[in-house]
Amino acid sequence: MSERIANAALRQKVMSADDAAALIHDGDQIGFGGFTGSGYPKVLPGALAKRIQESHDRGEKFTVNVFTGASTAPELDGTLASVDGIGWRMPYQSDPQMRSKINDGTSFYTDIHLSQSGMMVRQGFFGKVDFAVIEATRITADGDVVLTSSVGNNAVYCDTAEKVIIEVNSWQSDDLEGMHDIYGGFALPPNRVPIPITHPGDRIGDKFLHIPQDKVAAIIETDGPDRNTPFKPIDDDSRKIAGFLLDFYDHEVKQGRIPKNLLPLQSGVGNIPNAVLDGLLHSDLEHLTSYTEVIQDGMIDLIDAGKLDVASATAFSLSPDYAHKMNENAAFYRDHIILRPQEISNHPEVIRRLGVIGANGMIEADIYGNVNSTHVMGSRMMNGIGGSGDFTRNAYISAFVSPSTAKGGAISAIVPMVSHVDHTEHDGMVIITEQGIADLRGLAPRQRAPKIIENCAHPDYRPMLLDYYERALHDCKFKHTPHLLGEAYSWHTRFLETGTMKKD
Ligand code: 0RQ
């Protein structure tokens, strides 16, 4: 039996994944650990999916409601979705099978801000949580839990669930001990107190997660790796977008609006944020800090180069090579990285206090600066709002970054009116595509539109957008935010009908 379970009483609870899955029943609500493909339980979901499939084969109903930190992996979302086992799910997801079950109507999906997901569970809006299923790297002799590569909503689910199932994963480095900072001060109103973080490196909690032993229903031993998808090589458009963003930061420093080492950085995941981190690596900036959701490869490079002093997040999102490096060197990285509950990594109060500067991806923006991050053509869910809203509304500077077109140029990322709004024109401050940058701060709608069209739209779509805007300006009775309502979604309907937003 694994030396990683040092508590004698808890060692008695070790069982197979199948036996643990047998504890779960139709209609149960389960809070799973896991955030952006790291720190999620590796085997219980598969055993549960098998049990669900067997029930379905007997003609019995069996679905569970799934709560997570954020996206997980094929072994969790994928396997449960593929047997139609998820009745309802929240918050962020990005698994192809899960996405297709949401979009074909099999599963309900409640897409809420990551900072609010745990809070709403504590407030009881989702009802009773039957099980928390989390991953640990080690259980101490006192029964305390050392978490793995993500913290996410683990503490919320263990606090609120009736029973807890722990997977102890020997693939994860036991040197992760000391990297986590589990804050426990989550009173509900009117008893809330300020969260005492004034610097990204502040530690305010405990390195262990405490779980009452009588709640622990099962312990499963595992040794599987996190999902860890490799990053694509940085393409030209991402490099251009990163260049515009870094020049903009430089401009802000010269204007005296942000310090020379910038302010704590937040970046979404993906190709463009990775290009930004690569740009920072090759800049002469030093003593950078980060207050963000996920630690990506580029941040590890910045730490190795001595340029990033500290990064605070809730999870890793690393490629396989970098996950290996983390496992080998966690004792070094834990002096530079803090993993916190997502209630804290994404907390509006802290983001606002620290003056975080954020950059997130988008699906589309409209000519006035409203942003859609989640719905393709207004109806098809892509991933979810994730932490983009937590950071965008509360950041000191918040940017949206995207190529100016999608699907080989058939779709313009700049449209007359977004087909779904996640971030209103009041929230986002800067829009950047490979065509250029539109700094919207302080601008009224009629000052924004020409700037977004000229600076950010692809040349193939620029004349069409200008034509729309000029006619709206002329024909619309009200001149504050001129629109032609009968035409505003014609770009989307044209794409749905003809396969392109372009006119003949
Ligand atoms: O689809 O792979 O099928 O071709 O969307 O697009 O350009 O690779 O960009 O990976 O950065 O994702 C908004 C989805 C962008 C992401 C979104 C299609 C495109 C492709 C991906 P294919 P790209 P990215 C921190 C912050 C919300 C959460 C967030 C996201 C796919 O950034 O989920 O910010 N954001 N979290 O073809 C139709 C358009 C499109 C489009 C792109 N206008 N119309 N399809 N696509 N634009 C992380 C967390 O919170 C955990």
Side-chain angles (χ1 to χ4, degrees), residues 25-85:
H25 296 98
D26 174 43
D28 278 351
Q29 305 216 91
I30 309 174
F32 285 105
F35 199 107
T36 53
S38 55
Y40 55 93
K42 307 289 186 291
V43 296
L44 185 278
L48 178 59
K50 196 169 78 172
R51 187 165 142 67
I52 291 174
Q53 185 60 59
E54 285 163 5
S55 289
H56 289 177
D57 291 345
R58 290 193 299 272
E60 295 162 11
K61 179 184 166 304
F62 195 154
T63 58
V64 292
N65 290 345
V66 169
F67 306 61
T68 62
S71 52
T72 63
E75 301 100 297
L76 200 167
D77 270 297
T79 187
L80 286 170
S82 67
V83 296
D84 290 348

Side-chain angles (χ1 to χ4, degrees), residues 13 35 61 65 100 116 120 148 195 202 215 256 308-309 313 339 362 371 396 429-431 437-438 448 453 491 497:
K13 302 194 181 187
F35 199 107
K61 179 184 166 304
N65 290 345
S100 90
Q116 295 185 344
M120 287 186 171
T148 63
I195 293 163
D202 287 345
K215 269 196 181 187
L308 180 65
D309 291 349
L339 296 182
M362 64 179 189
V371 168
Y396 185 72
M429 301 177 191
V430 182
I431 293 177
I437 172 166
R448 290 167 163 229
I453 296 169
W491 292 42
E497 283 159 14

